[in-house]
Amino acid sequence: MNIRAQVSMVFHLDKCIGCHTCSVACKNIWTDRKGTEYMWWNNVETKPGTGYPTLWEDQDRYQGGWERDENGKLKLKLQGRARGLGNLFANPALPTLDDYYEPWTYQYDELFNAPEGDDQPTARPVSLITGKHMDIEAGPNWDDDLGGSPVYAVNDPNLEGLSDTEREQLNELERMVFFYLPRICNHCVNAACVAACPAGAIYKRGEDGIVLLNQDNCRAWRMCISGCPYKKTYYNWSTGKSEKCILCYPRLESGHAPACFHSCVGRIRYLGALLYDADEIEAAAAVPDAELVQAHRDLIKDPFDPEVIAAARANGVPEAMLEAARNSPVYKFVKTWGLALPLHAEYRTLPMLFYVPPMLPILAAQKDGVYDIAGADAIGGPPTFSTLEKARVPIRFMASLFSAGNEDVVAEVYAKLLAVRTYMRSQKVGDVDPTELETTLARGGTNPEEAEAIFRLTAMPTFDERFVLPPLGRDDAVEATVDPYTARSHAGFGTRKPPERRW
Amino acid sequence: MGWIQDLVDPKTRRWEEFYRNRWQHDNAVRSTHGVNCTGGCSWMVYVKDGIITWEMQATDYPLLEDSVPPYEPRGCQRGISASWYVYSPIRVKYPYMRGPLMDLWRAARAEHENPVDAWGSIVEDETKRARFQKARGKGGFRRTDWDEVLEVISASLLYTARKWGPDRVFGFSPIPAMSYLSYAAGSRFLQLFGGVNMSFYDWYADLPNAFPEIWGDQTDVCESADWYKSKYIVAMGSNLNMTRTPDVHFISEARHEGTKFTVIAPDFNQVAKYADWWIPVTAGQDTALWMAVNHVILKEFHADRQVPYFIEYLKKYSDSTHLVRLEPDGDTYGAGRYLRANLIDRYRDVENGDWKLLMWDAKSGPKMPKGSVGFRWGEELGKWNLTLEDGLDDTPIDPELTFLETHDAVLQVGFHEFASGKSARRGVPVRYVETSEGRVPVATVYDLLMAQFGVGRGLAGDYAKSFDDADAPYTPAWQEQFTGIGRETVLRLAREFADNAEVTNGKSMIIIGASINHWYNNNLAYRAPITSLILCGCCGVNGGGMNHYVGQEKLTLVSPWTSLAFALDWQRPPRQQQSPTWHYVQSDQWRYDSEFTDYDAVPPDAKWAKGHAMDLAAKAVRMGWMPFYPQFDRNPLELVEEAKAAGAEGKDAVAAHVVDRLKEGEIGLSVDDPDAEENWPRIWLIWRGNAILSSAKGHEFFLRHYLGTHDSIIAEEAAAGKVKTVVWREPAPRGKMDLVVDINFRMDTSALYSDIVLPTATWYEKNDLNTTDLHSFVHPLSQAVPPVWESKSDWDIFKALAKKVSELAPETFPEPVTDLVARPLMHDTPDELSQMEVEDWREGDCEPVPGKTFPHLFLVERDYSQIYDKFRSFGPNVRADGITGNGVHIPIEKFYDELLENPVGGTPDPRRLRCVEWGGNRYPALEDALDAANLLLRLAPETNGEVAYEAFKAEEERIGLPLADLAEGNRSVRMTFADLKAQPRRTLVSPCWTGIVNDGRPYAAWCINVERLVPWRTLSGRQHLYVDHPYYIDFGEHLPTFKPKLDPRATGDIGLSSTDGPALVLNYITPHGKWHIHSTYYDNLRMLTLSRGIEPCWINDKDAASIGIEDNDWVEVYNDNGVMVTRAAVSARVQPGTCMVYHSPERTISIPKSQVRGGRRGGGHNSLTRTRINPVLLAGGQAQFTYGFNYWGPIGVFTRDTYAVVRKLEKLEW
């Protein structure tokens, strides 16, 4: 066993309101500079939809992530097709500005400075790149809330396999649906960006697994951009260095949750440590699609298991990290309860951000211009919740996102989520038929104790219960270069070293 | 750490300081945003090298009960973008004046020694006046300095007061709760001057009229944590994810605890995604759906089977047991007034007997319960409570809810149904009562309600045969034709809702908002679901009730704030204007309106419900129902001088003199001739709001008639010959306003169209207070950096203006003057007992008696040289008068005296209070916003536990029941501004409010009423299912009813606008949006980037295809009122036949020229709207139907009833 620790994440999509506060929190602090305007280390997408950059999930086009060859071996998809160095200088899978958007601002000064005229002045949009007037045709969140869009929603790559009729139904009121998918760097265990970088500028931090892109070493090959199937590294056109989500390590190191986590007003985010066995990475990433979720779960090790603890200690994982792993809300959602799933496991990067899929309203039927509940059988009695069969959730679509197509895995999650609600109603109101309760719990593969625990962590958590930050002992890291005793009295003096960059 | 070296050695990672350096900062200061969003979120503002860099949410809210999830974090995508504004290119950094005015001013100043004369020389010259008016909004701003702008403004104010009267000076600033002191600075200045504050909550159409109608309260709702207490939540017209962003987590958390969540909304929107069940009602037809829900509840949970909890609740807390007279009407009867107590022998001589009502005691017949408004304003204290006891001898009453089993007769009563225009006859069980007017039949409200909803209970008449009886009004089958929702859905909704209320004792809740309240018949749209809630015992219960969230109206510290803001510490009354009627009249939109019966349904043979709304508006003013300023066609200062010269001494004599001259026709009411120049508003001060666009229903009419600049109206005038009492003048005046001043930190549309723009501090550069309905904390806005460039806080701006006016005043007003202030009959005062009947003195029904059948007339002394000193000190009147909030009076003598013990002078302090001395007297200081903040915190029962205790003690006397125990545990609590900066503080239980928040219990409305038997502030003291105001009976709204959606062909929006070619006429809806709060943040680059760089027009995919529009195409959206040009967002989630432009884009950003209106730049969303008023909401003169600022009156409706043509823009031109 080669146990490593990683700061990992859960996003509970049922609670996501698509507000994008997370995106702005990140932008304000990290990417509000020349060259970074179009970078959204954190973005939120409307699903079904085409996302950012446009159609990023279309790996036939972008060649991101890993693939499993005939022999069951892993290789980077990009290199598999492009034959490595031959394409170093011409990387055809790179997204272009059109796949992102041309960042813009407005001529605000017109409102102050326009001379007296015969009509009202207005602030026209201008490009932040060329400074010239422009027509805005795309943005980082262009299909926001556009469920039912004939241009965007129906072209979601996850709808592959749906018939034309099924796709069209997504535009009918009684079936239409949308939900939100917030995305940051997944800080993958088997990160394709790291593997793709010819300069070796990307690394996974030993102490917490955060994937960083060294701003001194980056040589602008941009292989990371193609290699990352999630399109979460970005090229800074001003400095000539690529940049990516840093999971706010300066905040983590000083005891703060990352900005996007802190600011999540839907309270959907959880952060905590996971332990995994690095020796199993290659095998776990190479199983057939349908087994990927389980292999990923198996890779994550029980922090209470004495063998795991011993192996971790042997690897130098500090006690504080082990303690954090034992208290990790992420461990509970991912491993104990099996409710949180990796996004696009079939990319085989073993992402360490997991999602609890959203519940959605029940279907309806439309007849002679009148809209009614579908299957109006059980009218009356206590409120009934949506069931998977009746929910507006195309199960195949969810499986495409969260279980590499394995519909059983997603169905199990929904059954459990529904069981929790039913159990809680039975406890708080008492108007649930005992037989129905028993059946629902059994179908959800859960029991009262677990249901209560799931409810508490879902609905009641405080800030400190959502974010169990491992103390990152900076003393050791600092000591590698300067005695902390000295650092204490010298820190902050002098002018800062200007970065080696062009801006 | 050997394993790390396997991966990356720290030595090779020294570059990591690159990002670490960015995170470092010097300071983090707590503030919030004053933006009328209801969020009221606590934020930490980060400062690095003296520059504000970003903000992050504070997460240190104290927890409520253990059983409720935490509030943290609060703060949305908009709030977190606020720091963008501070140094942004749209920031107003200096004072600006438009070039033509500046040139005229400087030339006039060179000629005139006295600035007041200089101002007169400009505005008295029509050519000069037109010169700068026509330039409004069209560029040409020039930078100036504070000295110059303060002088221009002060001169114009003094000129106006001398020439026309101070009541020609108007100020608009919305929603004080978002920044208490920034609002109060301007209103305090205006009131000391004699100017007029314009209302906002009603103007924004945020005031839910059903709340005053039913509860006698402006609005009282639960905090968002209480949503979590509910077990069945229905959201309608309220896109919680979009507009209650920091609160909506409680919904999802409640769902995980087993709460069902149902959303009623026409489009599949963000909150529908959150729902278990989405009901896509046809836009604007929610009332029909809830009428059917009521039908089902009455049938299944009241008629077929009685739920003991529901029955007991109705008896104790509603008017359902009250007796209503049935009046003969042809061969049937009609429901009339409540039977008044003094009509029966036993109560013949009781005090205020007209204002005490009757129930039928099961043992002894008609009995007069305690709690009605007659007990509230009587000499006898201690009987204004909800105990079911006789008001005469305290004997218990066991009221009969229904006479079904005990009736003397069953009479056929007529019920009008507006959708079909038919009247039905239904049998109602009655008892006969011997009265001084003879033997009269009476029914209980409950039995009338059963009959109104067509629930027969075996009685004869036109009752519904079954739920499937589509011809019978209000059945589940009947509502399908309006709502498009099937009967099975309605049945299930009604049963789930009521079942849940039954098993939880009332924990079924409705969350409702703008998208319901902004329709013309908003009150009916609310009364229908509120009826369901009351029938199921849900109001006054944690987790239940009607929770309306639109504006940030909750001024938690209402009682001391009211005194501070309206300068009641120095003088009273203030001049407060009901804005919707005012704008309807003053911006001349009434001239384009036809008779309201052209588009609204009224009963046949109505007495008042007919004619032109303008005539009814004028009538309401002269009867003392509604305010209107200016008051008279004369300067009120001159009127007083004239009366005094004629020998009148004192208030009553001056009033009598004025009334006599009015009767003789020698002076007139301004409202009767609004287009005569002596009746125009002259100066408009705008601060904290976007009065010219964002809230300006009829924006283009503002441009034409207020500003006198260009507009895009093609509508024709329609009122000539239709108005009967109001003077019609030709042509309509253009450019009524002499001066428009905007105080702003961003160059928004209002700033762009104003004459002068003053730079103000942002929310991160000033000290202030903030509260909201959505949580129970009080937050500071506080200074992270001093105001940048030349900006000042609103407090300091108005203080500076007060100083300048006082300096310039002596030349214009060498002596103090006396002002005559008219004031309507007011809510929460003995005025509630003024008018039993609708009697118009102009029509000879009665004599005009000020304060009875005519507005009150008061005298107010004004010494213009003292305005500054009064502004900066808290005057002595409040020591004697006490403070008042929501009808509760609090004596504060001892607390005022404590304040006088503070030292004079020193520096502003977040912990300590100060005094000032002038004219030989000492006063609590209001020099600085910090002084004012601490003063409010010290005097408010919500932040000073001892004040709360004293206030409850005072209330006990009135109510006659124990209350002070509620505050006993809080007596030692005192909060200072410094405390609020350190950590959010939760406000305390207070008699000014109705929630009980002790021990972390979430705030829910009416809990004190239900648990402590404190009456609602209504006629009966109970919740009104029935309204017996004569106007309501005449308009057919005495019982909950359904009036159909207005016919777009009759409303006049699209008469002259071309609909030829590929174009569609669509219902134009402007709900609150995702990327801005009203117009704030709209121009913020963050939000524009995350949206589409513009606020598009959302349109259904099939509708779009039918007129050749594709996603992101440029489109023109227009009607006779104006035009906007934007782009299309195409989606099936929008209902066919509607289009949406989220409220409210700015016309400053990225607006091309319009082809349909002659190549002029397109306007804003309000270019398409127009103000109309629903005249039933003018009803006044009695009980809960008396005026209160932002409490009662028509709201600024018609936004949702607007129709527009949508077509592709032919050519993109800038």
Side-chain angles (χ1 to χ4, degrees), chain A residues 13-21 24-25 28-30 32 101 104 106 108 111-112 114-125 135-137 140-142 144-148 152 171 173 176 178-180 203 205-207 212-216 243 246 249 251 253-254 259 262-265 267 315-316 359-362 370-373 378-379 381 383-385 392 421 424-425 428-429 455 458-463 466 474 477 480 496 501, chain B residues 3 7-8 10-11 13 15-16 18-23 55-57 59 66-70 72-73 75-77 80-81 84 89-91 96 100 131 135 137-140 228 231-232 241 245-246 248-249 252-253 255-260 268 270 272-278 280 484-486 488-489 492 495-496 499-500 503 752-753 1074-1075 1083 1085-1086 1088-1090 1092-1093 1111-1112 1127 1130-1133 1147-1148 1150-1151 1153 1160-1161 1214:
Chain A
L13 296 186
D14 191 55
K15 300 182 78 181
C16 183
I17 52 186
C19 65
H20 304 254
T21 311
V24 183
N28 278 349
I29 303 178
W30 302 120
D32 198 15
Y101 68 104
W104 70 85
Y106 298 83
Y108 293 108
L111 305 173
F112 296 86
E116 190 188 355
D118 189 40
D119 205 354
Q120 184 215 292
T122 195
R124 286 182 67 178
D135 213 17
I136 300 164
E137 300 287 351
N141 185 33
W142 194 249
D144 188 67
D145 293 337
L146 266 174
Y152 301 102
N171 279 359
L173 277 180
M176 185 177 48
F178 66 85
F179 62 93
Y180 303 104
Y203 58 96
R205 300 214 310 184
E207 65 269 38
L212 287 185
L213 202 161
N214 187 318
Q215 292 294 290
D216 285 345
E243 296 191 48
I246 58 173
Y249 68 82
R251 288 176 53 96
E253 288 168 358
S254 49
H262 177 117
S263 65
C264 177
V265 66
R267 296 161 42 89
N315 255 355
M359 293 185 276
L360 290 158
I362 54 170
V370 170
Y371 180 102
D372 234 327
I373 36 183
I379 282 196
T384 48
F385 305 131
R392 293 167 175 261
R421 293 187 68 191
M424 289 310 299
R425 184 157 184 108
K428 296 291 174 177
V429 184
F455 152 73
T458 305
M460 303 296 291
T462 61
F463 198 80
R466 299 199 300 284
R474 288 286 297 151
R496 286 180 197 135
R501 20 197 25 171
Chain B
W3 66 280
L7 292 168
V8 177
K11 284 182 192 159
R13 289 165 43 187
W15 77 273
E16 286 179 11
F18 174 71
Y19 291 118
R20 281 192 195 104
N21 290 343
R22 170 64 183 168
W23 164 244
E55 58 278 269
M56 293 286 287
Q57 294 105 325
T59 58
D66 286 345
S67 59
V68 176
E72 52 78 15
C76 69
Q77 72 274 28
I80 202 166
S81 303
W84 179 86
I90 205 163
R91 178 72 196 258
Y96 287 92
R131 170 73 185 93
K138 299 181 197 167
Y228 187 79
K231 302 317 294 179
Y232 197 94
N241 305 47
T245 312
V248 72
H249 67 86
S252 80
E253 286 154 353
R255 288 171 59 232
H256 286 270
E257 208 208 45
T259 299
K260 179 153 184 178
F268 188 81
Q270 294 72 13
K273 170 261 179 196
Y274 239 40
D276 290 304
W277 189 16
W278 169 51
I485 301 301
E488 302 291 340
T489 294
R492 174 177 273 196
R495 287 170 179 164
E496 287 189 355
D499 269 330
N500 183 76
V503 295
L752 196 72
Y753 278 83
K1074 183 168 183 174
W1075 305 109
D1083 44 16
L1085 186 58
R1086 291 270 183 282
L1088 283 162
T1089 302
L1090 279 173
R1092 285 188 163 205
D1111 193 68
N1112 208 39
R1127 307 183 85 145
V1130 176
S1131 168
R1133 76 171 186 83
R1147 58 186 299 176
T1148 50
S1150 190
I1151 305 289
K1153 303 216 173 189
R1160 270 207 177 278
R1161 194 164 308 292
W1214 294 97

Side-chain angles (χ1 to χ4, degrees), chain B residues 155 185 258 304 467 474 664 705 712 1173:
Chain B
D304 295 353
F467 291 155
Y474 321 132
E664 292 156 9
H705 297 290
S712 298
I1173 59 173

Side-chain angles (χ1 to χ4, degrees), chain B residues 806-868:
Chain B
S806 287
E807 272 172 27
L808 294 183
E811 274 200 74
T812 307
F813 295 105
E815 301 291 331
V817 292
T818 308
D819 194 358
L820 180 73
V821 178
R823 177 101 159 144
L825 302 167
M826 298 299 289
H827 186 43
D828 293 328
T829 73
D831 289 353
E832 293 186 340
L833 311 188
S834 297
Q835 300 176 12
M836 260 286 281
E837 304 296 337
V838 176
E839 292 175 331
D840 185 345
W841 56 269
R842 176 75 57 82
E843 290 174 15
D845 299 339
C846 59
E847 281 296 303
V849 180
K852 181 71 182 166
T853 61
F854 186 83
H856 288 280
L857 293 176
F858 294 94
L859 298 183
V860 176
E861 297 293 319
R862 300 196 195 282
D863 184 343
Y864 284 109
S865 68
Q866 283 190 354
I867 285 182
Y868 170 65

Side-chain angles (χ1 to χ4, degrees), chain A residues 182-355:
Chain A
R183 301 201 302 119
I184 64 173
C185 168
N186 293 294
H187 297 278
C188 305
V189 160
N190 186 33
C193 59
V194 176
C197 178
I202 311 182
Y203 58 96
K204 208 166 165 60
R205 300 214 310 184
E207 65 269 38
D208 51 22
I210 294 174
V211 175
L212 287 185
L213 202 161
N214 187 318
Q215 292 294 290
D216 285 345
N217 296 356
C218 174
R219 293 291 174 265
W221 294 115
R222 287 178 271 174
M223 287 299 162
C224 56
I225 296 168
S226 322
C228 172
Y230 301 96
K231 292 291 162 280
K232 280 294 173 186
T233 60
Y234 299 84
Y235 177 66
N236 182 324
W237 56 268
S238 174
T239 62
K241 309 273 185 183
S242 291
E243 296 191 48
K244 65 174 288 296
C245 162
I246 58 173
L247 203 61
C248 284
Y249 68 82
R251 288 176 53 96
L252 283 175
E253 288 168 358
S254 49
H256 300 271
C260 58
F261 285 73
H262 177 117
S263 65
C264 177
V265 66
R267 296 161 42 89
I268 80 162
R269 297 190 180 208
Y270 299 82
L271 186 126
L274 291 179
L275 303 179
Y276 65 92
D277 183 352
D279 289 345
E280 294 178 18
I281 293 173
E282 195 168 345
V287 300
D289 281 2
E291 298 163 29
L292 275 166
V293 169
Q294 192 54 47
H296 199 161
R297 284 176 182 157
D298 291 344
L299 183 75
I300 296 161
K301 300 301 177 192
D302 180 358
F304 297 93
D305 180 341
E307 279 185 46
V308 172
I309 293 170
R313 282 180 183 151
N315 255 355
V317 178
E319 288 304 314
M321 182 65 85
L322 293 175
E323 182 64 16
R326 286 189 284 271
N327 292 328
S328 170
V330 177
Y331 185 79
K332 289 179 183 136
F333 274 114
V334 174
K335 185 91 174 180
T336 314
W337 303 328
L339 288 173
L341 304 169
L343 177 64
H344 287 304
E346 72 278 13
Y347 298 164
R348 299 172 186 277
T349 61
L350 299 172
M352 293 303 260
L353 160 56
F354 304 85
Y355 294 87

Side-chain angles (χ1 to χ4, degrees), chain B residues 1129-1147:
Chain B
V1130 176
S1131 168
R1133 76 171 186 83
V1134 183
Q1135 224 170 46
T1138 61
C1139 65
M1140 298 194 298
V1141 174
Y1142 286 107
H1143 168 97
S1144 109
E1146 293 279 9
R1147 58 186 299 176

